[in-house]
Amino acid sequence: MTATAAPTKTILRALAGEVQAVPPVWMMRQAGRYLPEYRATRAQAGDFLSLCYNPELAAEVTLQPIRRYGFDASILFADILLLPQALGADLWFVTGEGPRLSTLSDAEGVAALKPTEAIHETLSPVYETVKILARELPREVTLIGFAGAPWTVATYMIAGRGTPDQGPAHAMKAAEPEAFDALMARLTEATTEYLSAQVEAGAEVVKIFDSWAGSLKGADFTRYALEPAQQIIAALKARLPDLPIIAFPRQAGDQYIGFARATGADCVAIDNSVDADWAAKHVQVDGCVQGNLAPHHLVEGGPALVAETKRIVKAFSKGPHIFNLGHGITPEADPENVHRMLEAIRG
Ligand code: 1CP
């Protein structure tokens, strides 16, 4: 494909601003615990992190939802917490609870992190997974790479775990502002290099997950969610001008407005706390949006799943749209409900 050729894959067309009669679709956490084949492969790998660092098996779980459902995009199987590990944090997963990391709270902790160039040593199996996927995915399917946004990754590095209100990160930001800013700068740089390397290995689109952006208010949102996204996107686009980028400042509320314009993102992913009609009017005016079905519909199914899916498709039908959930599909979801959702979208 030359630089001027129009993209042919449905996801790339949406990201280029094309309005399509049937929106392309994929799901956050589409490779995950709701699928029996995922659980089997994870058991074969031993545990979650061994799965992330095993290129053959990570590629296998990435492909499973493509085979089962024929989604338009696949997302690399990995985790946002591999980057802190590559920077020197200890990382482990407690079964039934979730990820745990060593904690970081001051300038010494930031200074002890490994240099950015060192991340590729730990992360090379992830690039290997991308290479396998670039070879094995059906040619109409788009391969999405990803990383966590600096703020979200920092919340885990500071607290050592997921927290309901990101309290420890807010506390470090207030008590140790210089160390906190140094951490954000380190993560902004490392995230740029990590995403660049994924693209070099074969990722066609990248997505930046700021899962905890919603706890940043006012000027803090601008400084710690918007500006790092803007810096990462500018650095990536300087190297890779044709790379489409999706940003997900989850629970940004009114701050979704203008986010694509301010950051240079080609698409903004929208969670399910905002209404589709509102988002069509205020966010989709700037370009492609992705979202925003509430994940609980895939647990409950029934007429509400079909009605809500169709309502979202209709609300976003006048602009570029990639159908997705407002957050990851949950382990309790019924795999059959995903077929019902696809039927409601594609007819
Ligand atoms: O037990 C298991 O098998 C682990 C469940 C699981 C999975 C399937 C985790 C643990 N991570 C993943 C894969 C993953 N994580 C992907 C790729 C697969 C796909 O989407 O199909 C992606 C894109 C992520 C991203 C991720 N990890 C985010 C951002 C998106 C979001 O959900 O908000 C976050 C916050 C994480 C951290 C993480 N990893 C896993 C868990 C349970 C968590 C959340 C922990 C917490 O906040 O307490």
Side-chain angles (χ1 to χ4, degrees):
M1 196 171 87
T2 65
T4 49
T8 51
K9 298 185 182 188
T10 52
I11 293 277
L12 298 178
R13 283 160 57 189
L15 291 168
E18 188 179 323
V19 184
Q20 296 171 82
V22 175
V25 50
W26 66 282
M27 293 192 312
M28 280 187 266
R29 293 277 166 96
Q30 63 191 21
R33 286 168 291 177
Y34 73 107
L35 289 180
E37 58 269 38
Y38 168 84
R39 296 194 297 268
T41 310
R42 190 183 63 172
Q44 193 189 338
D47 57 46
F48 174 69
L49 277 180
S50 308
L51 178 55
C52 288
Y53 287 118
N54 181 322
E56 293 294 336
L57 295 183
E60 166 58 25
V61 294
T62 309
L63 290 164
Q64 286 167 350
I66 305 301
R67 291 190 201 114
R68 193 189 258 258
Y69 300 116
F71 289 120
D72 295 280
S74 82
I75 184 156
L76 161 70
F77 190 85
D79 196 83
I80 66 165
L81 301 176
L82 304 187
L83 181 64
Q85 186 173 40
L87 285 166
D90 293 328
L91 172 67
W92 67 101
F93 273 75
V94 180
T95 312
E97 290 186 33
R100 295 288 182 271
L101 296 98
S102 44
T103 59
L104 185 162
S105 57
D106 55 21
E108 286 84 77
V110 180
L113 295 174
K114 292 185 188 170
T116 300
E117 315 81 77
I119 64 171
H120 304 302
E121 196 186 323
T122 303
L123 296 169
S124 63
V126 176
Y127 311 145
E128 199 49 47
T129 306
V130 174
K131 285 182 191 163
I132 296 171
L133 289 167
R135 277 200 311 270
E136 295 194 0
L137 274 168
R139 73 155 76 112
E140 67 279 8
V141 178
T142 300
L143 177 55
I144 303 175
F146 74 93
W151 162 251
T152 286
V153 173
T155 67
Y156 288 97
M157 291 177 82
I158 295 164
R161 57 188 297 165
T163 45
D165 58 359
Q166 296 73 59
H170 285 287
M172 181 177 168
K173 173 159 64 63
E176 301 272 351
E178 281 174 25
F180 181 80
D181 283 355
L183 175 61
M184 290 292 288
R186 287 297 322 272
L187 288 171
T188 300
E189 180 185 89
T191 303
T192 303
E193 297 309 319
Y194 182 35
L195 290 173
S196 258
Q198 292 180 28
V199 175
E200 262 171 57
E204 300 170 278
V205 172
V206 295
K207 177 168 175 185
I208 303 168
F209 285 89
D210 211 349
S211 303
W212 300 117
S215 79
L216 293 166
K217 304 295 176 202
D220 266 4
F221 181 89
T222 304
R223 183 157 171 193
Y224 301 117
L226 192 147
E227 287 175 9
Q230 188 273 330
Q231 287 163 12
I232 293 166
I233 292 168
L236 289 172
K237 296 247 179 194
R239 287 181 212 178
L240 307 154
D242 296 329
L243 175 68
I245 301 174
I246 304 171
F248 183 32
R250 192 170 74 91
Q251 303 228 302
D254 282 348
Q255 315 241 43
Y256 275 123
I257 300 172
F259 194 84
R261 232 180 310 135
T263 59
D266 301 274
C267 176
V268 175
I270 293 171
D271 67 81
N272 45 277
S273 70
V274 297
D275 180 69
D277 288 312
W278 176 88
K281 189 167 168 207
H282 296 285
V283 188
Q284 201 184 26
V285 287
D286 289 332
C288 188
V289 293
Q290 177 182 277
N292 76 332
L293 183 72
H296 68 80
H297 284 296
L298 293 165
V299 180
E300 292 148 19
L305 165 65
V306 174
E308 188 58 8
T309 299
K310 291 190 167 171
R311 192 181 77 81
I312 290 168
V313 170
K314 184 157 183 276
F316 290 123
S317 63
K318 294 190 178 65
H321 176 217
I322 297 169
F323 192 94
N324 205 308
L325 313 185
H327 201 196
I329 187 169
T330 55
E332 304 76 34
D334 177 351
E336 283 312 306
N337 283 334
V338 179
H339 284 299
R340 294 178 188 117
M341 176 192 83
L342 288 170
E343 171 69 19
I345 298 166
R346 294 170 169 170

